[in-house]
């Protein structure tokens, strides 16, 4: 079985400040981990993924995420937030042996000027 | 990344009618596609897994006869909401699965049933 938790429904940060959106996961095997972003009334867009290799993964729009196996976490980060980063963020996990990904409930990020 | 086209983006229909939503992968062949329903409070609910050339696999609680899924080719999956009712009004999203599990999403379809 696989599961994902995004403990925060909402994250608020000021523009220019660093941001973190949290994600923890549970899988029985090895995980593939993903972050997606959704703007209002749109589909989801891929941001980044961890498959193997370096624990720090860099993705689109200046986002990065760190895979931490001991803490089973894959937090999304950005050093300096932009107002345009305001959106809904989903973390997803797929066990290497699973046929489908499991999504977290999403975290709404609001960046204020 | 790969492009997935979903159509229509918005549809309004009368109660009791059927509505078809198409999901096309434009630049790669997708053996597996997924259909989701998204509720206003943001969560994404997986409805079914669509496999090319075989029957869809529905998640628990999703009515197979109400939400008909067809995946007749490697680039097209369709979701038909049959005998739609106001409670079926929602945002429906499709995705196509690449390797090793990355998903490419359509833009979503907003269904309003009057």
């Amino acid at each position: 079985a696989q599961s994902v938790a995004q403990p925060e429904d909402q994250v608020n940060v000021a523009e220019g400040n660093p941001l973190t959106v949290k994600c923890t996961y549970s899988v029985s095997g090895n995980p593939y981990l993903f972050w997606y972003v959704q703007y209002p009334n749109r589909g989801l867009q891929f941001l980044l993924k961890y498959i193997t290799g370096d624990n720090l993964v860099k993705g689109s729009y200046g986002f990065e995420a760190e895979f931490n196996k001991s803490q089973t976490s894959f937090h999304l980060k950005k050093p300096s937030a932009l107002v345009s980063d305001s959106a809904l963020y989903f973390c997803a996990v797929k066990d290497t042996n699973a046929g489908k990904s499991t999504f977290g409930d999403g975290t709404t990020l609001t960046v204020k000027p | 990344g790969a492009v997935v086209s979903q159509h229509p983006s918005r549809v309004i229909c009368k109660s009791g009618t059927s509505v078809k939503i198409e999901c096309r992968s434009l630049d790669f062949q997708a053996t597996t596609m997924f259909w989701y329903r998204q509720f206003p409070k943001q969560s994404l609910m997986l409805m079914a897994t669509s496999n090319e050339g075989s029957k869809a696999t529905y998640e628990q609680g999703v009515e197979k006869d109400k939400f008909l899924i067809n995946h007749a080719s490697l680039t097209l999956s369709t979701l038909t909401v049959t005998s739609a009712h106001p409670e079926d009004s929602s945002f429906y999203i499709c995705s196509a699965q690449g390797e090793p599990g990355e998903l490419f999403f359509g833009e979503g379809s907003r269904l309003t049933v009057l």
Side-chain angles (χ1 to χ4, degrees):
Chain A
Q2 57 189 33
S3 65
V4 176
Q6 291 181 243
E8 303 153 316
D9 287 340
Q10 179 98 25
V11 170
N12 298 314
V13 298
E15 187 174 31
N17 283 359
L19 70 87
T20 299
V21 182
K22 295 180 180 177
C23 172
T24 58
Y25 67 91
S26 175
V27 294
S28 55
N30 292 316
Y32 295 152
L33 293 155
F34 307 88
W35 275 101
Y36 297 89
V37 60
Q38 184 182 30
Y39 297 99
N41 296 310
R42 304 290 296 276
L44 281 68
Q45 297 176 31
F46 169 78
L47 274 181
L48 51 79
K49 64 184 175 186
Y50 171 81
I51 303 301
T52 186
D54 287 343
N55 290 341
L56 184 63
V57 178
K58 294 187 182 295
S60 307
Y61 313 119
F63 284 94
E64 58 188 31
E66 185 164 12
F67 171 62
N68 188 316
K69 188 173 183 178
S70 62
Q71 297 185 4
T72 60
S73 67
F74 190 57
H75 302 330
L76 181 69
K77 299 183 178 183
K78 187 172 182 179
S80 179
L82 300 173
V83 172
S84 57
D85 292 330
S86 298
L88 180 57
Y89 290 81
F90 288 97
C91 180
V93 67
K94 180 179 177 297
D95 191 302
T96 51
N97 297 318
K100 59 189 178 186
S101 295
T102 297
F103 283 80
D105 287 338
T107 299
T108 298
L109 172 67
T110 301
V111 181
K112 297 185 178 179
Chain B
V3 178
V4 174
S5 173
Q6 189 173 338
H7 178 82
S9 58
R10 291 180 180 273
V11 57
I12 300 173
C13 69
K14 293 182 178 180
S15 186
T17 61
S18 295
V19 173
K20 180 184 284 188
I21 301 170
E22 293 187 347
C23 181
R24 294 181 183 273
S25 58
L26 299 185
D27 51 4
F28 75 107
Q29 294 182 327
T31 305
T32 303
M33 290 184 172
F34 301 95
W35 286 96
Y36 308 83
R37 183 173 176 176
Q38 188 169 31
F39 296 96
K41 207 167 159 59
Q42 81 191 15
S43 63
L44 204 65
M45 184 192 85
L46 178 65
M47 299 175 66
T49 303
S50 173
N51 299 300
E52 187 270 336
S54 64
K55 291 183 178 180
T57 303
Y58 289 81
E59 295 298 304
Q60 193 171 5
V62 177
E63 298 177 60
K64 302 178 183 182
D65 295 334
K66 177 147 191 77
F67 299 101
L68 300 179
I69 291 173
N70 184 278
H71 194 157
S73 77
L74 287 170
T75 59
L76 174 65
S77 176
T78 60
L79 167 68
T80 301
V81 183
T82 62
S83 187
H85 292 285
E87 57 265 31
D88 299 325
S89 298
S90 193
F91 193 56
Y92 293 89
I93 308 175
C94 71
S95 71
Q97 183 163 266
E99 292 298 331
E102 182 177 338
L103 296 172
F104 305 99
F105 286 84
E107 287 296 316
S109 299
R110 174 75 60 189
L111 170 63
T112 303
V113 184
L114 303 177

